[in-house]
Amino acid sequence: MRKYIVAGNWKMNTTVPEGVQLAKEVVEKAKELPANVKLVVAPPFTHLAPVAEVLKGSKVALSAQNCADHVKGAYTGEVAPAMLASLGCEYTILGHSERRQYYGETDEKLVVKTRLALDHGLKVILCVGESLDERKAGKHFQVVTEQTKAVLYTLNPEDLANIVIAYEPVWAIGTGETATAAQAEEIHACIRNVIEEKFGAAAADDMTILYGGSCKPSNAKELFAEKDIDGGLIGGAALKAEDFIAIAASF
Ligand code: 13P
């Protein structure tokens, strides 16, 4: 059964008290939502423990924004998957375009991180998406196909239940420019085909594929109406509980 998810990627925003307050507001407002949508928040590492406390007993799940590519040891500044799982994270985002672009995150690293995250009980929200230049060159299908295959094709069929894909065209992130519903849908359908090729139709049909990139209350309904768009990975609009919940209410 395909799950519908709206996840908020807070990126490097809010102080700890501000983040705790935001989480409290999200939990409160989430009570008004029907049960068909799963909510996830991904605060910075520093906020995870206090936000985990706020989320206890609520319908909102916790995610990290990244994790280390090693189990433990002398890796100063890194946070291991087991650490995240031990404080109540259900998910981690991996391969966000900001990490690919600014921190040299490669597909090879993502293969390692994804395996480790899954082995330590985390579900993975794997981000894929083309840059503006790649779209202008007509390479968007190719780029997204390659990014998806690079990680997914290393996994076992049973891992797929713990994977969510987020399609985030880089040119739509934080720019106010959203992909049209049709542009997003054709890439989502392409990702589903890539999954079907290796894992079969049932696995492809079960996969949750989120759209991310300037998704907001005013455009969420149109995007989520597409048959292969199963929710959103929300940046800026996730920093206001009201907007985040309004997006989740768009299903
Ligand atoms: P915006 O919603 O701010 O465009 O960010 C999208 C994103 O990168 C979520 O991971």
Side-chain angles (χ1 to χ4, degrees):
M1 264 289 284
R2 205 186 291 177
K3 268 203 208 82
Y4 298 101
I5 297 177
V6 172
N9 176 8
W10 296 2
K11 307 192 178 183
M12 199 175 73
N13 292 296
T14 73
T15 61
V16 173
E18 287 165 355
V20 166
Q21 181 57 32
L22 176 56
K24 283 182 181 163
E25 288 170 20
V26 169
V27 165
E28 201 43 47
K29 289 184 194 297
K31 291 179 185 159
E32 303 154 16
L33 285 176
N36 62 340
V37 187
K38 175 150 188 172
L39 285 183
V40 180
V41 292
F45 285 135
T46 44
H47 302 35
L48 291 172
V51 168
E53 283 302 311
V54 174
L55 301 187
K56 257 185 201 155
S58 80
K59 19 176 172 170
V60 185
L62 187 63
S63 175
Q65 298 176 14
N66 182 30
C67 72
D69 54 350
H70 293 276
V71 174
K72 64 175 180 175
Y75 300 101
T76 303
E78 290 295 308
V79 179
M83 298 172 185
L84 298 171
S86 73
L87 63 69
C89 279
E90 184 176 339
Y91 294 87
T92 183
I93 297 171
L94 287 178
H96 192 280
S97 62
E98 287 148 17
R99 296 216 52 88
R100 292 179 190 258
Q101 198 176 342
Y102 309 139
Y103 301 99
E105 194 108 300
T106 59
D107 285 333
E108 291 70 32
K109 268 232 154 112
L110 290 170
V111 167
V112 175
K113 288 186 176 195
T114 301
R115 184 70 266 154
L116 274 184
L118 294 171
D119 287 347
H120 289 87
L122 295 172
K123 297 179 180 131
V124 172
I125 302 173
L126 177 70
C127 302
V128 296
E130 81 285 359
S131 67
L132 184 58
D133 285 349
E134 288 163 340
R135 178 157 281 262
K136 280 186 179 157
K139 290 190 177 151
H140 37 296
F141 289 105
Q142 183 195 333
V143 168
V144 169
T145 297
E146 283 169 6
Q147 289 175 340
T148 305
K149 281 186 178 176
V151 177
L152 246 58
Y153 280 21
T154 67
L155 301 178
N156 307 312
E158 58 273 22
D159 292 324
L160 291 205
N162 295 317
I163 299 280
V164 171
I165 308 274
Y167 168 56
E168 299 204 310
V170 179
W171 47 272
I173 295 177
T175 57
E177 189 177 342
T178 325
T180 64
Q183 281 173 324
E185 169 60 22
E186 62 181 5
I187 298 282
H188 282 234
C190 162
I191 293 169
R192 219 176 282 290
N193 282 336
V194 168
I195 297 166
E196 182 172 349
E197 264 176 45
K198 178 151 171 96
F199 297 100
D205 196 50
D206 279 354
M207 179 62 66
T208 299
I209 308 178
L210 309 180
Y211 168 78
S214 300
C215 185
K216 39 191 182 263
S218 59
N219 59 26
K221 208 178 181 74
E222 198 188 344
L223 286 159
F224 298 170
E226 295 291 341
K227 74 175 173 32
D228 291 300
I229 303 182
D230 311 314
L233 181 55
I234 318 299
L239 297 172
K240 269 180 75 182
E242 200 180 329
D243 287 354
F244 184 57
I245 297 295
I247 291 169
S250 302
F251 271 104

